[in-house]
Amino acid sequence: MSDEVEIDQEVYDRLIGEGKNERIARAKAKAAAVRKSKIAEGQSLGPRSAEENAKALEEFRASAGGGGVATKTAAPADAGGAAGGRLTPEQRAARVAASLGNGGSEPASLGVPTSSDHTHRLLALVPPAGIQQVQSKQMDKVYTWPHLLLVEFVALLAAGSLLLIASFFLDAPLGSLANPNEVPAINKAPWYFMGLQELLRYFHPMVAGVTLPGVFVVALLAAPYVDKNPSAHPENRKVANMAFTFFLAFWGLLVIIGSFLRGAGYEFVWPWVEGLGFTL
Amino acid sequence: MAKKDLKTTVQDNVIWKSIFRPGSIYRKGYRDTSRDRALASMNNVLYHLHPVKVKRHGLKLTYTYCLGGLSFFMFILLTVTGIFLMFFYTPAAGAGTEVAYLNMRELSASVTFGQLVRNLHRWGAHAMVFTVFLHMARVFYHGAYKPPREFNWVVGVILLILTLLLSFTGYLLPWDQLALWAVTVGTEMMGFTPVFGEQVQFVLLGGVEIGPNTLLRWYVLHVLFIPFVTVVFLAVHFWRIRKDGGISGPL
Ligand code: HEM
């Protein structure tokens, strides 16, 4: 698939000699090799200069049939102002006015061709910081390809093969034909609802089946709005973690009791005495 | 003249180039450089899911344990195996027309790979419920629902409920004793909804008790309606992950 770029051994050895980290040395040596091969192919390196850009644009326009008209760019209305790229309302109003040409019929341009068929001129209304808050903080990042995609692929293969192996050896259960007149001795919900069925032993069905699950769902939905603690560090959120662990443990316990310790007629049994009254 | 190698022959033509955009690892001239690594994401349909770069700590297996990704993988797997099962299943029951149950018997007895695909679908469904639970737990313990990700947690809770509903509606379809009575337990509880209890139960069951109408209703919910709603919420979930600044952390 990928043409592995050969590295420039000379550069690599020199950088290693200088005590550079192997990853960095390899990357720089790769870059050097690519640069060399580009020069050999007669391509230019680096970003194009302004003249080159202008020339390319001319050529493009000529080839595209002289579509776009050369444009003026609106003078920035806020020279020197606006700390952090934010405009005051007055500055923004001035900008909008400038870009709309003060109500004139021919709007002054912001660098987009004016005589095109575009009907939207939203660009003039977007604040310079953009629509989203862009975090400028540098972070330690890696390329999605190949790093993340390879991890995902391996995880997918592992999970897929596990499931395939399980499916090869374990058959899904199929009982006898459904019969509404014959209540089976052991009658259980699927395991993820076992907690609710267990609650049904202790509470009125409305409480166990509607009120409590409702409360749990609402509590889950509300969690991020109730937990106002800004820290994500476990040290600082002992209460939240305790509460959630308690919630999970409570739920897990109910499911385990319901699944393994309940037998015929939903009576309490020991599974090693009465057998496992549990089907997935 | 050296013979053109197979790779060049396959890659160096208009059709191949029209399919794989510049920077694709399948296109001629892909080089393992920063530029092409970036383009490989950016010029790819996967760009809808993944940004060009991700935080290094997020790659560590012990951060996400791949749980969200695995939940999604299970969903895909269930869709694929589910479509296979649909070819051999008719949601009909009732005296003289016990087709659904018969189909299940035939599936394991006489359909090639029928039993295996049914097993995959069944164990996959349990696995998905499990991974979604674990995913929720890992998100909680990382405090990954804190601003700006509060709403994505809400979307997640909705996905959890949809996952449970998908699983539960599917549970009825084999139309055996296990299915009928497990579902009876569940739907009896819904009947206790205050004020509208009876109506809720009637709409869900297509009658006053579980019968052929319920089977048809739950079949449609299971193969069409709930998956459709789930896909919509999955789209929002994945979109929000990126708009909220990618994966949370590091701690
Ligand atoms: C069908 C079920 C679901 C799927 C397929 C899914 C998928 C994903 C994926 C792929 C991620 C990326 C990070 C990771 O893999 O951990 C993620 C993140 C997240 N999920 Fe889910 N999810 C599901 C259900 C849930 C549930 C039940 C919750 C919570 C109640 C939830 C809340 C979140 C949050 C808050 C994030 C952001 C975490 C971060 O930034 O670290 N999701 N989800």
Side-chain angles (χ1 to χ4, degrees), chain B residues 68-69 72 135 138-139 144 149 153 156-157 234 237-238 241 247-248:
Chain B
F72 185 49
H135 170 59
R138 99 90 188 136
V139 168
R149 298 185 177 79
W153 169 271
V157 175
L234 281 178
H237 197 59
F238 296 156
I241 294 170
I247 197 101
S248 63

Side-chain angles (χ1 to χ4, degrees), chain A residues 205-265:
Chain A
M206 195 182 94
V207 178
V210 183
T211 317
L212 282 176
V215 169
F216 291 145
V217 169
V218 170
L220 275 181
L221 288 172
Y225 303 98
V226 174
D227 178 7
K228 290 245 165 63
N229 175 359
S231 170
H233 209 280
E235 293 283 283
N236 304 327
R237 43 197 305 263
K238 294 194 172 130
V239 177
N241 281 352
M242 285 270 288
F244 195 71
T245 307
F246 186 76
F247 177 71
L248 288 186
F250 167 76
W251 214 233
L253 194 70
L254 287 183
V255 169
I256 287 170
I257 295 177
S259 300
F260 300 119
L261 303 179
R262 296 288 183 183

Side-chain angles (χ1 to χ4, degrees), chain B residues 34-55:
Chain B
S34 296
R35 179 179 174 278
D36 278 4
R37 283 178 174 195
L39 283 176
S41 295
M42 212 185 310
N43 270 349
N44 191 305
V45 66
L46 274 182
Y47 197 43
H48 286 285
L49 286 181
H50 286 313
V52 167
K53 280 185 146 192
V54 290
K55 297 173 196 162

Side-chain angles (χ1 to χ4, degrees), chain A residues 50-233:
Chain A
E51 299 99 80
E52 276 174 324
N53 264 338
K55 213 167 119 241
L57 188 63
E58 278 309 314
E59 277 167 15
F60 174 74
R61 288 223 169 103
S63 69
V69 170
T71 51
K72 299 173 288 177
T73 308
D78 59 331
R86 281 208 168 273
L87 296 179
T88 64
E90 294 77 35
Q91 285 169 326
R92 188 173 297 130
R95 252 203 190 188
V96 172
S99 70
L100 296 180
N102 295 317
S105 53
E106 181 69 26
S109 174
L110 272 181
V112 268
T114 48
S115 66
S116 70
D117 294 331
H118 292 287
T119 49
H120 287 73
R121 296 190 48 79
L122 285 176
L123 269 180
L125 304 175
V126 176
I131 302 171
Q132 296 169 46
Q133 288 292 326
V134 180
Q135 246 189 1
S136 52
K137 211 170 67 183
Q138 269 257 300
M139 295 202 77
D140 188 14
K141 287 192 165 184
V142 292
Y143 282 105
T144 298
W145 167 259
H147 303 287
L148 177 61
L149 290 181
L150 282 187
V151 174
E152 285 179 342
F153 188 61
V154 171
L156 185 151
L157 283 185
S161 10
L162 252 170
L163 206 66
L164 195 62
I165 291 169
S167 300
F168 195 79
F169 291 109
L170 301 172
D171 278 351
L174 185 65
S176 52
L177 176 67
N179 181 356
N181 301 317
E182 183 200 323
V183 187
I186 299 179
N187 182 10
K188 291 184 185 176
W191 63 271
Y192 38 82
F193 286 147
M194 223 41 241
L196 292 182
Q197 197 178 352
E198 184 62 23
L199 281 178
L200 207 54
R201 277 296 276 200
Y202 314 113
F203 298 103
H204 182 269
M206 195 182 94
V207 178
V210 183
T211 317
L212 282 176
V215 169
F216 291 145
V217 169
V218 170
L220 275 181
L221 288 172
Y225 303 98
V226 174
D227 178 7
K228 290 245 165 63
N229 175 359
S231 170
H233 209 280

Side-chain angles (χ1 to χ4, degrees), chain B:
Chain B
M1 259 312 282
K3 198 168 60 145
K4 252 205 202 173
D5 67 342
L6 180 66
K7 192 173 156 193
T8 318
T9 320
V10 171
Q11 291 188 331
D12 201 3
N13 61 66
V14 275
I15 297 174
W16 195 266
K17 284 184 189 160
S18 74
I19 300 173
F20 299 104
R21 308 195 61 213
S24 165
I25 55 171
Y26 301 112
R27 195 172 160 116
K28 180 165 162 277
Y30 175 85
R31 294 192 275 205
D32 194 18
T33 58
S34 296
R35 179 179 174 278
D36 278 4
R37 283 178 174 195
L39 283 176
S41 295
M42 212 185 310
N43 270 349
N44 191 305
V45 66
L46 274 182
Y47 197 43
H48 286 285
L49 286 181
H50 286 313
V52 167
K53 280 185 146 192
V54 290
K55 297 173 196 162
R56 186 188 295 278
H57 80 91
L59 281 185
K60 268 211 288 196
L61 193 63
T62 48
Y63 193 72
T64 65
Y65 294 98
C66 290
L67 285 167
L70 286 182
S71 308
F72 185 49
F73 173 55
M74 288 301 153
F75 183 75
I76 304 280
L77 189 114
L78 288 165
T79 309
V80 175
T81 53
I83 290 172
F84 178 91
L85 295 176
M86 281 175 77
F87 291 140
F88 305 101
Y89 180 86
T90 313
T97 52
E98 295 290 3
V99 189
Y101 182 73
L102 204 75
N103 286 163
M104 298 307 292
R105 283 254 169 256
E106 282 168 358
L107 189 68
S108 40
S110 49
V111 175
T112 313
F113 291 129
Q115 181 73 50
L116 182 70
V117 176
R118 179 172 173 231
N119 294 347
L120 278 171
H121 197 74
R122 182 94 170 192
W123 305 137
H126 285 304
M128 179 169 168
V129 174
F130 200 59
T131 53
V132 172
F133 265 127
L134 292 181
H135 170 59
M136 179 176 81
R138 99 90 188 136
V139 168
F140 190 94
Y141 287 119
H142 281 160
Y145 57 80
K146 306 208 164 184
R149 298 185 177 79
E150 311 100 304
F151 183 67
N152 217 15
W153 169 271
V154 172
V155 174
V157 175
I158 294 170
L159 281 172
L160 172 69
I161 295 169
L162 287 169
T163 307
L164 293 178
L165 288 180
L166 268 175
S167 212
F168 193 53
T169 48
Y171 213 82
L172 182 68
L173 302 186
W175 202 248
D176 58 351
Q177 279 290 74
L178 194 64
L180 177 70
W181 292 97
V183 168
T184 305
V185 176
T187 49
E188 265 173 11
M189 283 195 241
M190 294 181 213
F192 285 96
T193 310
V195 191
F196 305 110
E198 259 171 54
Q199 285 87 336
V200 167
Q201 211 181 9
F202 192 86
V203 169
L204 279 175
L205 298 186
V208 288
E209 56 174 29
I210 298 182
N213 282 340
T214 321
L215 184 60
L216 179 58
R217 227 161 251 218
W218 285 38
Y219 174 74
V220 174
L221 289 176
H222 182 74
V223 305
L224 203 69
F225 183 71
I226 310 177
F228 176 73
V229 177
T230 306
V231 166
V232 171
F233 278 94
L234 281 178
V236 177
H237 197 59
F238 296 156
W239 175 76
R240 272 307 287 249
I241 294 170
R242 291 194 55 183
K243 291 294 154 178
D244 292 340
I247 197 101
S248 63
L251 280 183

